[in-house]
Amino acid sequence: MAEDFLTPLSERGLRFLSTLPSAVSSLASLCRSALRFFSRIKPLRKKSRALKIQVAAPEAESEIATKPVPMSSPAALLRIAPAPKPQAPPLAPLGRRERAQLSRGRKEIDARIDLHGMTQTRAHRALFGFLQRAQGDGFTFVLVITGKGKVGAESERGVLRRQVPQWLSLPEFRSLVIGFEEAHIGHGGEGALYVRVRRSRI
């Protein structure tokens, strides 16, 4: 009786064992299919970050495009590159012919100023104003009398004789004067100067 029970059990076990290879093969095939399926799926977190980067990129470009470019103001450009100041024209001595004509009276002396008895400060102011008026009136030649002074004496007249030619060489006077020369003896000699007035530019 025990043999009858074992025989059918053994046959069923054999049949079950015979089906194991195909079941294992099917399971392996199912696992491979599942791996391929899941490998195609991307994580949701990485995808959301990528979307955020794509959305933020146009905003960054727009900020760069709309950012104003700093421009230098005209005042700053002027400070960097100031316009050069016009230089005073150089002096030109009177010609021998002009001096001879003045000494002989063939050319008229339009005006004259006598600086005798003036201090240096007063004489400088008076000479500058005199030449400005001469230029404004369209004069050509004027006579400036300084005085000869005395040898060995520190008189004011002797100082003016030395100072006036130096003043006429300054830029502020060169805009009013073309040149100057010592006057003829008949007009004061060493104590006077022929001065040629520069024409006004206005």
Side-chain angles (χ1 to χ4, degrees):
M1 194 171 172
E3 294 177 358
D4 294 337
F5 175 79
L6 291 173
T7 300
L9 183 60
S10 299
E11 292 177 356
R12 286 196 298 273
L14 291 173
R15 286 197 299 272
F16 173 76
L17 292 174
S18 63
T19 59
L20 282 177
S22 59
V24 171
S25 177
S26 299
L27 181 60
S29 178
L30 181 62
C31 290
R32 285 193 296 271
S33 299
L35 288 174
R36 285 196 298 271
F37 175 78
F38 284 111
S39 65
R40 296 176 183 175
I41 299 175
K42 295 181 180 180
L44 293 178
R45 290 183 180 179
K46 293 183 178 180
K47 187 175 182 180
S48 62
R49 289 179 182 176
L51 290 174
K52 288 181 180 179
I53 294 173
Q54 292 177 359
V55 173
E59 293 179 359
E61 293 177 359
S62 63
E63 289 178 1
I64 296 173
T66 57
K67 186 176 181 180
V69 178
M71 298 293 291
S72 299
S73 63
L77 292 176
L78 290 175
R79 286 195 299 270
I80 294 172
K85 295 181 180 180
Q87 296 181 354
L91 292 176
L94 273 66
R96 294 178 60 182
R97 182 178 180 182
E98 290 177 330
R99 187 178 182 280
Q101 289 176 341
L102 287 169
S103 64
R104 296 172 185 174
R106 295 181 181 178
K107 277 188 178 295
E108 185 179 358
I109 296 175
D110 299 310
R112 65 186 64 201
I113 183 173
D114 191 348
L115 303 178
H116 277 108
M118 295 185 186
T119 62
Q120 292 188 59
T121 302
R122 183 183 174 190
H124 184 280
R125 188 186 308 113
L127 180 61
F128 188 75
F130 169 75
L131 292 174
Q132 282 184 319
R133 292 190 297 272
Q135 187 182 64
D137 293 338
F139 293 163
T140 303
F141 292 102
V142 297
L143 183 68
V144 178
I145 302 171
T146 62
K148 297 180 181 180
K150 295 181 180 181
V151 179
E154 291 297 330
S155 64
E156 196 70 22
R157 288 181 295 175
V159 173
L160 293 179
R161 178 187 170 190
R162 294 189 299 270
Q163 289 295 325
V164 169
Q166 297 180 15
W167 293 344
L168 295 176
S169 301
L170 296 175
E172 59 188 28
F173 281 92
R174 291 208 308 267
S175 62
L176 303 172
V177 173
I178 295 177
F180 59 90
E181 290 286 346
E182 184 180 303
H184 185 264
I185 189 67
H187 289 134
E190 297 178 356
L193 297 171
Y194 294 134
V195 178
R196 184 170 186 174
V197 182
R198 191 179 299 277
R199 291 183 180 181
S200 177
R201 297 181 180 180
I202 300 175

